[in-house]
Amino acid sequence: MVAMNMIQAIRSAMDVMLERNPDVLVFGEDVGFFGGVFRCTEGLQAKYGRRRVFDTPIAEAGILATAVGMGAYGLRPVVEIQFADYIYPATDQLVSEAARLRYRSAGDFTAPLTVRSPYGGGIFGGQTHSQSPEAIFTHVAGLKTVIPSTPYDAKGLLIAAIEDDDPVIFFEPKRIYNGPFDGHHDRPVTPWAKHPASEVPEGYYRIELGKAAIVRPGEAVTVLAYGTMVHVALASAEEAGIDAEVIDLRTLNPLDIEMIVASVKKTGRCVIVHEATRTSGFGGELSALVQEYCFHHLEAPIVRVTGWDTPYPHAFEWEYFPGPKRVIEALRQTMEA
């Protein structure tokens, strides 16, 4: 076991898979010589060569179209979209080609590709470097969507994504690349080295897609979160002194509905936290599912804490960001209902 931050864990996952499987390729804008804008691929080109780790033009649609073709011919491309905000030009290739290939070919072809992309705010990236578009892809049949919250999960989930025979969108919360973030932006950053989930095996291991994790057991209220918001939810529960059960979803599609239902039936209350805009965000789907499966067990209305329905503002970053103040208000609201 080695202490790693998220960047190192993600790099380690790709290193392991490049070494284990000659069909794995890594490419995208600046991922080769430069090692990626966040250095997630640093050193991989020097180790595996320019035929397996290489740079591409600034053309997201072309990057994904190439990956779909490679996957159909038996390769396992791992492509990086430099920021999630730039994924929209590639959406047609993901939705109309990658996600449909198995179905339209009656199983003769698949698209075993993984799309890595940093997402979310908290780094003053403004409206074009802070978006959270995960709900778009959870709506698409044939795509899987994964969002880790710790280095240990990041490596195990990324290995599972690369080995999956279907296309996987792997969003990396860039605010927690270097340390867990509890939402208190005015406090010093805590490095991952002080967190137990930074202990990561150097070699191969995988975490099954579609399995959530209870990161804080509780009896009073269920909190559903993913990515950076897992750490905000944990901090909020502690500060509020509420016996909340915090579930890290880890994968949004496939979703571990069994764990969610069991928890909400136990607690009778549910708070959903995500950074993306509220309207048509993934929290709406979670709310509908909880209502559908747990209606007779609910003791209070489901509460959502989300980003606002505006572009991500640069000057008002922390007013937009769903921090502990807003999450604590939601927890107290549902407990008092």
Side-chain angles (χ1 to χ4, degrees):
M1 304 284 280
V2 177
M4 298 185 186
N5 60 29
M6 290 272 280
I7 294 170
Q8 293 165 329
I10 290 163
R11 184 191 306 138
S12 180
M14 288 184 281
D15 189 4
V16 167
M17 293 309 298
L18 284 162
E19 184 173 351
R20 284 173 61 94
N21 189 340
D23 291 330
V24 173
L25 306 169
V26 174
F27 57 95
E29 298 163 12
D30 293 326
V31 305
F33 178 80
F34 190 61
V37 68
F38 291 100
R39 300 299 189 271
C40 288
T41 56
E42 188 173 36
L44 295 181
Q45 185 180 82
K47 184 174 182 179
Y48 295 101
R50 290 184 294 175
R51 292 178 62 87
R52 298 190 65 199
V53 181
F54 54 90
D55 296 317
T56 66
I58 302 175
E60 287 78 13
I63 293 170
L64 262 297
T66 303
V68 172
M70 287 179 168
Y73 274 87
L75 298 175
R76 290 187 177 271
V78 182
V79 304
E80 178 182 303
I81 301 297
Q82 200 169 75
F83 287 89
D85 314 64
Y86 304 161
I87 204 168
Y88 302 114
T91 302
D92 181 55
Q93 293 297 325
L94 285 167
V95 174
S96 301
E97 306 299 336
R100 306 285 188 257
L101 188 58
R102 181 192 290 273
Y103 183 86
R104 72 191 297 181
S105 68
D108 288 342
F109 295 98
T110 59
L113 60 93
T114 303
V115 182
R116 293 181 41 251
S117 190
Y119 96 112
I123 65 165
F124 287 98
Q127 64 178 353
T128 57
H129 294 81
S130 304
Q131 295 175 56
S132 299
E134 65 271 14
I136 294 172
F137 301 103
T138 62
H139 184 68
V140 179
L143 292 181
K144 297 179 179 180
T145 306
V146 179
I147 302 177
S149 68
T150 67
Y152 182 85
D153 283 0
K155 181 173 179 178
L157 290 168
L158 182 53
I159 287 174
I162 295 170
E163 291 186 330
D164 200 284
D165 288 334
D166 288 310
V168 179
I169 312 298
F170 192 90
F171 283 127
E172 301 164 7
K174 54 183 175 289
R175 185 60 180 82
I176 57 173
Y177 267 149
N178 292 306
F181 181 60
D182 62 8
H184 290 291
H185 62 280
D186 52 350
R187 297 179 183 177
V189 175
T190 301
W192 275 115
K194 295 184 178 181
H195 194 287
S198 68
E199 291 294 316
V200 178
E202 291 187 88
Y204 173 91
Y205 71 96
R206 55 179 288 150
I207 296 173
E208 183 181 354
L209 304 185
K211 297 295 182 183
I214 297 175
V215 293
R216 186 184 192 273
E219 301 289 335
V221 55
T222 299
V223 183
L224 305 179
Y226 50 90
T228 304
M229 292 299 111
V230 171
H231 304 282
V232 175
L234 288 169
S236 301
E238 292 294 332
E239 291 173 32
I242 292 174
D243 188 22
E245 181 154 284
V246 179
I247 295 180
D248 180 355
L249 298 180
R250 301 200 290 194
T251 65
L252 308 189
N253 189 9
L255 182 69
D256 192 347
I257 188 63
E258 291 81 9
M259 181 178 288
I260 294 170
V261 170
S263 179
V264 176
K265 284 184 175 180
K266 176 181 68 174
T267 65
R269 291 173 166 82
C270 183
V271 172
I272 298 165
V273 188
H274 65 66
E275 193 176 343
T277 51
R278 181 180 181 88
T279 301
S280 299
F282 191 66
E285 176 67 15
L286 291 171
S287 181
L289 288 169
V290 170
Q291 183 79 355
E292 179 180 345
Y293 284 96
C294 306
F295 176 75
H296 294 289
H297 297 265
L298 289 171
E299 302 291 338
I302 301 163
V303 180
R304 286 182 288 164
V305 185
T306 70
W308 307 118
D309 287 338
T310 69
Y312 214 116
H314 185 275
F316 297 100
E317 176 114 31
W318 302 117
E319 283 73 15
Y320 183 100
F321 191 92
K325 180 181 178 181
R326 290 169 57 196
V327 176
I328 289 170
E329 287 175 356
L331 289 170
R332 288 175 175 164
Q333 174 185 339
T334 192
M335 293 304 299
E336 293 168 2

